[in-house]
């Protein structure tokens, strides 16, 4: 049956940034399809809420409090996953952030702010991939899903660290896809559009009225895409990026229509 190829029964999935938002939404949908989850983030209370949701679906969930911008913590996270489950089948590099970095003029950005923005959004994905690759190469199978952003494909006013890092995510995806295809490891990239998580963002993006579909995304909508890329149904998809943005990039790399005029 065609639906069998979407099953994740017996799969172990690491998700960073799993405490809330898109990360939690993906964790719950993946668990609903049979996966056991390794949930990583910095805030334990949020991870516990995610774990409770996963366990209600009958799947196991290992909580690993982790700052993914620190490579030693990433290595410990992956070691804990392997110790608990014996394998890692899927890595979803979701952790990141940048709303607090927007709106600052280039000449006011400090070295520390630059490095932090790049490390949280790009170096973290490199650290996680570096830690899981030996296990996936050893089992000659695996899936890596990097989460980028529409800002990785276009510029943004006073948007530097986040846009640069997310553009790097796309190139990291392509380079890994080419390198590790020989080990039956597929690396792909999800490119979310606007998924507003607070009222300030909703106001800035004008409720999504400049998006062709007329609204921002709802977190659960990313779940089925993550399931697809993590499943056997996507075994011949490699090095690709898939936008889930309500058509926001459909007019080209530069957005068209009504766009936000002010900085956050």
């Amino acid at each position: 049956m065609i639906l069998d190829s979407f099953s994740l029964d017996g799969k172990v999935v690491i998700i960073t940034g799993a405490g809330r938002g898109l990360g939690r939404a993906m964790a719950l949908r993946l668990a609903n399809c049979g996966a056991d989850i390794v949930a990583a983030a910095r805030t334990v209370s949020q991870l516990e809420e995610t774990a409770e949701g996963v366990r209600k679906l009958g799947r196991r969930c290992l909580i690993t409090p982790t700052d993914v911008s620190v490579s030693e913590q990433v290595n410990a996270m992956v070691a804990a996953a392997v110790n608990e489950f014996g394998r890692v089948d899927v890595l979803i590099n979701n952790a990141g952030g940048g709303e607090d970095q927007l709106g600052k003029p280039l000449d006011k950005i400090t070295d520390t702010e630059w490095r932090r923005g790049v490390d949280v959004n790009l170096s973290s994905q490199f650290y996680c991939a570096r830690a899981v690759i030996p296990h996936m190469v050893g089992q000659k199978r695996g899936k890596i899903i990097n989460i980028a952003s529409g800002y990785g494909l276009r510029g943004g006013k006073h948007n530097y660290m986040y846009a640069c890092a997310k553009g790097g995510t796309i190139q990291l995806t392509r380079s890994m896809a080419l390198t590790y295809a020989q080990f039956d490891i597929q690396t792909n990239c999800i490119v979310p559009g606007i998924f507003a998580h607070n009222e300030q963002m909703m106001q800035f993006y004008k409720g999504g009225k400049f998006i062709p579909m007329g609204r921002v995304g709802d977190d659960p909508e990313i779940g089925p895409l993550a399931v697809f890329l993590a499943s056997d149904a996507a075994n011949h998809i490699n090095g690709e990026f898939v936008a889930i943005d309500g058509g926001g990039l459909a007019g080209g790399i530069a957005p068209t229509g009504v766009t936000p005029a002010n900085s956050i």
Side-chain angles (χ1 to χ4, degrees):
M1 297 292 293
I2 185 65
L3 291 181
D4 292 341
S5 64
F6 292 89
S7 171
L8 299 176
D9 284 345
K11 302 292 185 182
V12 176
V13 182
I14 294 177
I15 306 177
T16 66
R20 57 180 178 153
L22 298 179
R24 179 181 291 177
M26 288 187 285
L28 295 177
R29 190 56 65 96
L30 290 158
N32 195 42
C33 290
D36 293 319
I37 305 297
V38 179
R42 290 181 296 174
T43 306
V44 174
S45 60
Q46 293 177 348
L47 287 175
E48 289 174 341
E49 292 177 4
T50 298
E52 181 180 2
V54 169
R55 291 164 185 156
K56 284 181 178 179
L57 294 168
R59 307 311 305 175
R60 298 168 65 188
C61 185
L62 174 67
I63 290 175
T64 56
T66 308
D67 181 343
V68 292
S69 69
V70 180
S71 63
E72 293 83 2
Q73 293 190 32
V74 168
N75 293 341
M77 171 193 73
V78 174
V82 173
N83 183 64
E84 178 74 15
F85 294 107
R87 60 188 296 113
V88 176
D89 298 291
V90 182
L91 165 66
I92 301 182
N93 275 319
N94 170 69
E99 291 88 355
D100 59 336
Q101 302 165 354
L102 303 181
K104 195 167 188 178
L106 185 67
D107 59 323
K108 302 301 182 183
I109 297 172
T110 67
D111 290 358
T112 299
E113 289 170 331
W114 172 263
R115 293 187 184 110
R116 178 63 181 171
V118 172
D119 283 348
V120 167
N121 290 290
L122 178 57
S123 299
S124 62
Q125 301 199 4
F126 163 72
Y127 295 151
C128 291
R130 182 177 63 182
V132 303
I133 276 294
H135 302 283
M136 291 184 175
V137 168
Q139 65 198 27
K140 291 184 171 56
R141 187 173 179 83
K143 309 272 190 182
I144 296 177
I145 303 169
N146 296 324
I147 308 298
S149 164
Y151 281 114
L153 291 165
R154 63 175 182 246
K157 185 177 181 181
H158 294 316
N159 186 338
Y160 298 103
M161 293 81 78
Y162 186 75
C164 291
K166 292 303 186 180
T169 291
I170 292 171
Q171 292 304 93
L172 177 66
T173 298
R174 288 168 167 158
S175 293
M176 289 183 59
L178 293 175
T179 304
Y180 293 102
Q182 62 181 311
F183 300 104
D184 197 19
I185 298 169
Q186 295 86 49
T187 307
N188 291 293
C189 186
I190 294 176
V191 183
I194 307 304
F195 287 77
H197 294 118
N198 56 58
E199 186 58 33
Q200 183 185 21
M201 289 181 68
M202 283 294 287
Q203 292 178 3
F204 176 71
Y205 291 114
K206 304 184 186 300
K209 72 176 185 179
F210 63 93
I211 299 169
M213 289 187 67
R215 66 173 178 84
V216 301
D218 293 325
D219 290 345
E221 292 179 302
I222 201 171
L225 179 55
V227 168
F228 169 61
L229 292 176
S231 73
D232 288 346
N235 281 350
H236 201 54
I237 298 177
N238 191 35
E240 302 297 337
F241 60 90
V242 183
I244 177 168
D245 65 354
L249 289 169
I253 297 301
T256 58
V258 180
T259 59
N262 301 314
S263 299
I264 287 179

